[in-house]
Amino acid sequence: MKGIGVSGGIGIGKVLRIEEHSLTYTPYTVTDTAAETTRFHEAVEKFCDNTAQQAEALKVSAGEKEAEIMLGHISIVKDPFLLGEVDKLIGGGQCAEASFESMCDMFISIFAAAEDDVTRQRAADVRDVKTGVLSILLGINEVKISEAPAGTVLCAAELTPSMIAEIKKENIVGIVTATGSTTSHSAILARVLEIPAVMSVPDIMTSVQNGEDIIVDGSKGAIILSPDETALQTYAAKREKFLQERKELEKYRGKPTVSADGTAYELVCNIGKPEDAAKAMDGDGEGVGLFRTEFLFMDKTSVPTEEEQFKAYQQAAIILKGKPLIIRTLDIGGDKDIPYLGLAKEENPFMGFRAIRYCLKNRDLFKTQLRAILRASAFGNVSIMFPLITCVEEVREGKALVEECKAELTAENIAFDEKIKVGIMTETAASGIIADLLAKECDFFSIGTNDLTGYTMAADRGNSDVSYLYSVLQPSVLRMIKSIIEAARQNHIPVGMCGEAAADPNMIPLLISFGLTEFSVSAPSVLRVRKYIAGWTKEKADAVAAKAMSFATQKEVADFLNSQR
């Protein structure tokens, strides 16, 4: 059976099905609303106590930073807006279960509609919180994963962070779920715990039985049920090989990122929160190529103040100790809605009022963020990056606002980096076509391959009917990437890539040949990408790129590049 490999390695063991308890109940009207409110808040406190204990356990098994995922669940359930709205619903006569569930479902629907995996993960977090609090309200005992015996492969419809926090690492050899993705918190925790995991195997719970032999290939995204002796021996050998390769990756820790012929590259990380900068450093990243600031806004019920934003950006800059920190300005709209900003409903939000377009029309909000970034630049190597640029006017208008903010800060005698660099995300077909013009206005480019692929192919990767078109290896997308890099090089500005393609081994030789100077990837991918880069010379990469660019179809390109690995 096939799924998505989210944590590499081979696991060989026996199935333990994690059955979901029914959380069904009959909503009812309450008359003693004060008592019902107290019952709800007692359940929340119990949930927080349980979650804090799970975080402590996770701190021991995975590390302090990973434990923050569980502490994030406490932040969700303690959100003043969420609690206030639930209290209002209870005050109106709804029972605690229905009040809490309806508010959680509202947030889940907002986040689940997102295109990008990182935002969708927030829906999974809220679902986890909802399940935990409802279980307490309904008196349901949760599954005891901590009691799983050695050699266990956990199989579940969804394995939440709270479940993974119960794992005894020495007993769990694999994880298989019906849902999930590479960016889910469960996938992140599985990688940290070094447990092979395959997610998005839709029929898993109807296909496996407790105690059944199973092989989990987290590298290939495959599972084998009831394997024969030959398969067991084959995969035992593969497991040993994988463990050896993982050990060898550590050889690249602390080493410069250079190709086989000595060309140096910048290998940095993508982050969503200031504390993620520490994860980037722990992963041996050389800085941050993309700080997604919208998550600072999503975690609040009102626009974060200049001081709040400044402290977040300052924290990341200090953690990085002078290493580059590229901060992307607010990128909302499309798949990322923030209710309190009151974005109007649009028929086609991805083509609508979003990202830089929204910011330029809401100057006070935009200038608040720019001032905060500028102030943080006094504490590190900070750059500003505008998202979703489609024309030169947007860049010039954004830069003019940066200059306004500089003048204000100078008048207020507040320090900032007067030579701060300003660049753009090249993630639209328009920006690719006029990359030569945009390069004259910018200090750097960063190619966002996720949106660039979608906009170039006019294909929504979340739409299964057209997802076959959504591939960075489409000849049109590759030509777009190549032309963007060429325009940057001709205008003597650095060009990076912060989309998922930056960590794709098939893309590495092409990007080396095209002349990319920076790779921005997830922290767990750093050492592997450094190894990929070290395996190529410019001459060899040029030969592979020339051949790849000669093909007419995505399949031909993919088949050829697979043969070169």
Side-chain angles (χ1 to χ4, degrees):
M1 301 177 71
K2 294 290 289 183
I4 300 173
V6 301
S7 180
I10 307 293
I12 303 172
K14 293 188 180 296
V15 169
L16 176 63
R17 292 167 54 93
I18 307 300
E19 304 287 355
E20 291 184 307
H21 288 291
S22 173
L23 295 176
T24 57
Y25 60 91
T26 302
Y28 57 91
T29 301
V30 296
T31 54
D32 190 347
T33 57
E36 188 70 357
T37 301
T38 298
R39 185 172 78 91
F40 167 65
H41 283 276
E42 287 176 348
V44 168
E45 288 306 315
K46 184 175 181 181
F47 171 82
C48 292
D49 289 343
N50 292 344
T51 303
Q53 291 175 22
Q54 292 171 335
E56 284 301 313
L58 201 56
K59 192 181 296 184
V60 174
S61 62
E64 189 163 341
K65 295 178 183 64
E66 285 63 40
E68 291 173 1
I69 290 174
M70 295 309 304
L71 296 177
H73 287 191
I74 295 177
S75 298
I76 290 172
V77 80
K78 287 282 195 178
D79 179 81
F81 177 76
L82 174 65
L83 292 176
E85 291 301 304
V86 173
D87 286 348
K88 287 179 187 177
L89 292 173
I90 294 174
Q94 284 193 33
C95 65
E97 290 86 349
S99 301
F100 184 68
E101 183 170 33
S102 65
M103 286 306 302
C104 286
D105 287 346
M106 182 194 76
F107 284 109
I108 289 168
S109 65
I110 291 170
F111 295 133
E115 178 184 328
D116 69 287
D117 287 338
V118 176
T119 307
R120 281 201 299 268
Q121 169 55 37
R122 294 176 60 79
D125 289 339
V126 178
R127 276 196 299 271
D128 199 6
V129 170
K130 182 179 84 168
T131 298
V133 175
L134 285 180
S135 295
I136 293 169
L137 287 169
L138 296 170
I140 295 170
N141 293 321
E142 296 184 350
V143 180
K144 294 292 184 182
I145 293 175
S146 59
E147 297 176 2
T152 291
V153 172
L154 298 176
C155 294
E158 179 181 26
L159 205 64
T160 63
S162 59
M163 293 179 185
I164 288 189
E166 300 287 335
I167 284 176
K168 291 184 178 177
K169 180 180 175 181
E170 62 272 18
N171 291 345
I172 307 302
V173 298
I175 294 170
V176 186
T177 64
T179 61
S181 68
T182 54
T183 56
S184 69
H185 280 158
S186 295
I188 292 168
L189 292 172
R191 288 193 290 271
V192 171
L193 293 171
E194 298 185 343
I195 298 173
V198 178
M199 295 183 173
S200 286
V201 185
D203 300 326
I204 186 62
M205 295 306 286
T206 58
S207 304
V208 297
Q209 301 298 323
N210 277 326
E212 182 177 3
D213 289 333
I214 184 172
I215 295 172
V216 181
D217 186 339
S219 301
K220 299 286 187 181
I223 62 171
I224 300 173
L225 303 179
S226 300
D228 58 23
E229 191 59 33
T230 300
L232 287 170
Q233 291 178 3
T234 299
Y235 276 88
K238 286 185 177 182
R239 180 174 59 189
E240 290 306 310
K241 181 181 179 183
F242 175 83
L243 292 174
Q244 183 60 34
E245 288 176 349
R246 174 180 278 169
K247 186 177 179 181
E248 289 178 359
L249 274 184
E250 288 300 314
K251 296 178 183 177
Y252 293 90
R253 187 175 296 279
K255 300 291 179 63
T257 303
V258 293
S259 60
D261 50 4
T263 303
Y265 296 88
E266 205 167 43
L267 182 53
V268 290
C269 296
N270 304 325
I271 68 172
K273 296 179 293 185
E275 53 267 33
D276 289 344
K279 295 180 183 178
M281 295 298 93
D282 290 345
D284 208 33
E286 298 163 15
V288 167
L290 170 62
F291 185 163
R292 302 180 180 93
T293 59
E294 54 270 19
F295 298 109
L296 298 176
F297 289 71
M298 288 179 171
D299 284 339
K300 299 184 67 63
T301 55
S302 60
V303 176
T305 65
E306 178 182 323
E307 194 64 24
E308 288 171 328
Q309 292 188 60
F310 162 65
K311 286 180 179 177
Y313 309 145
Q314 178 196 45
Q315 180 184 348
I318 290 172
I319 289 171
L320 293 174
K321 298 179 179 177
K323 292 182 178 180
L325 170 62
I326 297 177
I327 301 177
R328 183 176 71 186
T329 57
L330 183 60
D331 186 6
I332 57 159
D335 57 0
K336 293 184 281 259
D337 184 26
I338 300 176
Y340 63 77
L341 290 180
L343 288 171
K345 182 84 172 171
E346 295 180 285
E347 285 189 17
N348 192 346
F350 289 99
M351 300 286 185
F353 191 47
R354 56 171 298 205
I356 192 66
R357 302 166 182 181
Y358 176 88
C359 289
L360 292 175
K361 293 292 186 181
N362 291 270
R363 295 194 169 210
D364 289 343
L365 178 147
F366 195 25
K367 286 181 65 176
T368 296
Q369 181 173 41
L370 293 175
R371 282 174 57 96
I373 297 172
L374 284 167
R375 289 172 59 191
S377 71
F379 296 86
N381 181 9
V382 176
S383 301
I384 299 171
M385 181 161 67
F386 300 141
L388 203 79
I389 293 296
T390 55
C391 58
V392 167
E393 291 92 330
E394 290 168 335
V395 181
R396 290 178 178 172
E397 197 172 344
K399 288 169 63 179
L401 288 177
V402 172
E403 292 304 315
E404 278 187 30
C405 293
K406 285 182 177 180
E408 291 173 2
L409 293 174
T410 299
E412 295 166 27
N413 201 28
I414 297 175
F416 62 91
D417 178 5
E418 295 183 5
K419 296 182 179 179
I420 190 169
K421 292 181 171 59
V422 178
I424 66 168
M425 291 274 286
T426 45
E427 53 187 335
T428 64
S431 66
I433 293 168
I434 61 166
D436 58 327
L437 302 178
L438 292 169
K440 293 176 172 61
E441 306 285 335
C442 302
D443 294 316
F444 64 90
F445 283 168
S446 184
I447 303 172
T449 51
N450 300 346
D451 272 350
L452 183 64
T453 301
Y455 284 123
T456 301
M457 296 303 299
D460 177 2
R461 65 174 169 175
N463 184 334
S464 59
D465 291 328
V466 298
S467 59
Y468 70 96
L469 294 168
Y470 186 91
S471 170
V472 72
L473 297 181
Q474 289 282 358
S476 57
V477 181
L478 291 178
R479 290 186 182 192
M480 188 71 75
I481 291 170
K482 184 178 181 183
S483 68
I484 291 170
I485 295 173
E486 286 177 348
R489 289 175 62 81
Q490 288 169 7
N491 286 276
H492 310 292
I493 65 171
V495 55
M497 179 176 287
C498 57
E500 293 176 10
D504 184 346
N506 281 340
M507 285 293 295
I508 300 297
L510 304 187
L511 298 175
I512 288 175
S513 175
F514 295 166
L516 195 79
T517 56
E518 175 212 86
F519 295 75
S520 193
V521 302
S522 66
S525 299
V526 168
L527 297 183
R528 186 164 283 106
V529 172
R530 186 170 289 149
K531 179 184 177 182
Y532 293 151
I533 292 173
W536 290 94
T537 63
K538 180 69 162 57
E539 182 180 5
K540 183 180 175 184
D542 284 344
V544 169
K547 184 68 174 175
M549 298 298 283
S550 73
F551 293 115
T553 69
Q554 183 270 340
K555 185 179 186 304
E556 290 172 321
V557 175
D559 288 346
F560 169 69
L561 292 176
N562 282 327
S563 73
Q564 300 302 302
R565 290 172 60 181

